[in-house]
């Protein structure tokens, strides 16, 4: 066992665990952050999608030993405005477009969508239909059409 420190949803956290424990289990089992879901554990289904330093990643495939003390991890729990409590525009759009069915994949879908819009902005452009092909998050309920509509609506408010 060893100690590992990082920033989670704006707050410094320290856990005591084996170096090869995957970050998803650190979040879910040790820290009680259950927004990132477990689907495959193999970086394929994207149900666990969260952000590391503002970019989408899949904590199921990252051992805690790879996370630095300065790394900022954001999960769906950290997406709303901390001060005002306002939901993120992407979360609002999800409600407006009634996207979720069973809901299992949706935290990951939202985090992937936010990262996608931010990536396009960093490149100095808006998202295009082609960008949606980069969203690889699997939805067993088939909510893909509403996801696209919601992401477009949210992007206009981000
Ligand atoms: S559980 Fe992380 S990608 Fe499937
Ligand atoms: S809403 Fe059920 S898996 Fe996506």
């Amino acid at each position: 066992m060893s100690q590992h420190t990082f920033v989670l949803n704006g707050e410094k956290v320290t856990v005591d665990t084996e170096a090869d424990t995957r970050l998803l289990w650190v979040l879910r089992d040790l820290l009680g952050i259950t927004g990132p879901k477990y689907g495959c554990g193999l970086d394929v289904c994207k149900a666990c999608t969260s952000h590391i330093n503002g970019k989408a990643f899949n904590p199921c495939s990252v051992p805690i030993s790879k996370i630095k003390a300065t790394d900022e991890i954001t999960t769906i729990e950290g997406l709303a405005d901390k001060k005002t409590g306002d939901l993120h525009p992407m979360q609002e759009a999800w409600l407006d477009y009634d996207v979720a069915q069973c809901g299992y994949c949706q935290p990951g879908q939202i985090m992937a969508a936010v990262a996608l819009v931010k990536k396009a902005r960093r490149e100095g452009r808006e998202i295009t239909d082609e960008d949606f092909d980069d969203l690889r998050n699997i939805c067993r309920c088939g909510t893909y059409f509403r996801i696209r509509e919601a992401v477009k609506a949210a992007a206009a408010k981000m």
Side-chain angles (χ1 to χ4, degrees):
M1 301 276 263
S2 50
Q3 287 208 329
H4 305 272
T5 297
F6 56 98
V7 180
L8 175 61
N9 295 331
E11 289 181 18
K12 194 168 148 183
V13 294
T14 299
V15 293
D16 204 6
T17 189
E18 306 292 345
D20 62 355
T21 305
R22 300 298 166 116
L23 180 59
L24 181 59
W25 305 120
V26 171
L27 295 174
R28 291 183 57 87
D29 291 352
L30 302 183
L31 297 169
I33 298 293
T34 56
K37 297 293 186 272
Y38 170 66
C40 65
L42 298 168
D43 199 10
V44 173
C45 73
K46 314 294 184 192
C48 65
T49 305
S50 302
H51 294 175
I52 182 164
N53 304 323
K55 295 185 180 164
F57 84 124
N58 292 103
C60 70
S61 59
V62 180
I64 186 69
S65 58
K66 297 276 187 209
I67 304 296
K68 299 191 291 290
T70 51
D71 281 335
E72 296 199 17
I73 310 296
T74 308
T75 67
I76 189 84
E77 286 88 346
L79 202 55
D81 189 308
K82 257 202 161 62
K83 286 186 194 127
T84 63
D86 290 345
L87 291 179
H88 187 281
M90 197 64 74
Q91 292 171 302
E92 290 285 6
W94 244 246
L95 293 173
D96 291 345
Y97 285 80
D98 202 14
V99 174
Q101 287 195 34
C102 83
Y104 196 82
C105 73
Q106 301 294 335
Q109 301 280 10
I110 290 173
M111 296 306 283
V114 170
L116 185 74
V117 174
K118 285 187 173 172
K119 177 170 171 281
R121 295 279 164 76
R122 280 198 300 275
E123 293 168 3
R125 60 188 185 78
E126 296 299 318
I127 51 166
T128 63
D129 279 340
E130 287 70 46
D131 286 319
F132 284 112
D133 294 340
D134 291 338
L135 283 181
R136 309 304 294 177
N137 297 53
I138 293 169
C139 177
R140 287 165 295 181
C141 302
T143 62
Y144 300 112
F145 179 77
R146 292 203 302 275
I147 285 172
R148 288 186 175 214
E149 295 299 298
V151 175
K152 285 179 196 165
K157 295 180 183 165
M158 282 173 64

